[in-house]
Amino acid sequence: NAGVTQTPKFQVLKTGQSMTLQCAQDMNHNSMYWYRQDPGMGLRLIYYSASEGTTDKGEVPNGYNVSRLNKREFSLRLESAAPSQTSVYFCASSGGISSYEQYFGPGTRLTVT
Amino acid sequence: ILNVEQSPQSLHVQEGDSTNFTCSFPSSNFYALHWYRWETAKSPEALFVMTLNGDEKKKGRISATLNTKEGYSYLYIKGSQPEDSATYLCALHTGTASKLTFGTGTRLQVTL
């Protein structure tokens, strides 16, 4: 049981390049989330998917797109990376109807130069 | 945008000290309050999920209380140990969607 996995762990991009961050969970959870973590800002929600087939914007969605490929997988795409998107990205999932406790992946450290 | 505030931002205590910190949230939007522990270079891990006013939860030396009417929760650590060093996050769930709003965390450092 791997929990929540993310790939890659580290990535360096040049301004304007695109990339997709992958996330998968094996806990049969309905909901999945993408956060970014910046110094002094805590965790900020980028996009989330309450259930397979739905996605919604979070607090900081600009510059990102997401795909809920199936129940297990939720990807985050940067179409044209900018230095302001340098951050650590965490994927999370939750499945409980009453608790919404979230389980986090190990994070992806992205640097945009 | 919901305002979830944590204080203090950081805390430095000695081994054996007991400590506590605060999470404040708008009481009108309450469904559940989560506490997470986040060690450096790791991922956040859930400590408690609290839903009822007056709730008290305990896990080892760590406990939490909840006051939904006034919009705050306290996290207590009794007899701090170096392994308690981490950032402690609280998060508000309003129940209108499956998402959480996180505070910016309290960073605790415990030294010998």
Side-chain angles (χ1 to χ4, degrees), chain A residues 101-102 104, chain B residues 35-39 42-48:
Chain A
E101 178 178 320
Q102 293 190 7
F104 286 82
Chain B
W35 280 100
Y36 288 80
R37 170 191 159 86
W38 192 0
E39 292 182 68
K42 295 188 176 179
S43 307
E45 292 183 349
L47 281 172
F48 305 116

Side-chain angles (χ1 to χ4, degrees), chain A residues 21-98:
Chain A
L21 281 63
Q22 306 287 354
C23 174
Q25 51 89 11
D26 62 2
M27 295 174 282
N28 201 35
H29 283 168
N30 288 318
S31 302
M32 298 184 74
Y33 314 83
W34 276 105
Y35 294 92
R36 59 179 289 174
Q37 185 249 328
D38 302 293
M41 303 290 283
L43 286 169
R44 292 185 293 168
L45 184 65
I46 304 171
Y47 270 94
Y48 68 103
S49 171
S51 60
E52 188 179 355
T54 69
T55 60
D56 285 285
K57 294 178 180 179
E59 188 184 346
V60 288
N62 291 344
Y64 305 95
N65 284 303
V66 290
S67 295
R68 184 74 184 269
L69 304 168
N70 47 55
K71 192 171 186 179
R72 288 188 64 246
E73 299 172 288
F74 188 38
S75 62
L76 178 73
R77 183 159 178 84
L78 286 70
E79 291 290 352
S80 179
S84 60
Q85 294 178 304
T86 294
S87 188
V88 181
Y89 291 86
F90 286 96
C91 177
S93 70
S94 70
I97 293 173
S98 60

Side-chain angles (χ1 to χ4, degrees), chain B residues 55-112:
Chain B
D55 243 358
E56 287 190 36
K57 301 261 183 174
K58 188 173 181 181
K59 186 181 285 189
R61 293 177 292 96
I62 303 177
S63 60
T65 60
L66 178 67
N67 183 323
T68 60
K69 293 183 180 179
E70 296 182 37
Y72 64 84
S73 176
Y74 293 138
L75 190 80
Y76 301 91
I77 302 179
K78 185 177 178 182
S80 302
Q81 300 296 311
E83 58 265 30
D84 296 328
S85 297
T87 295
Y88 292 84
L89 295 169
C90 69
L92 177 67
H93 180 214
T94 62
T96 55
S98 62
K99 57 181 181 174
L100 300 178
T101 300
F102 282 84
T104 54
T106 292
R107 185 172 180 177
L108 175 67
Q109 189 170 357
V110 183
T111 53
L112 296 170

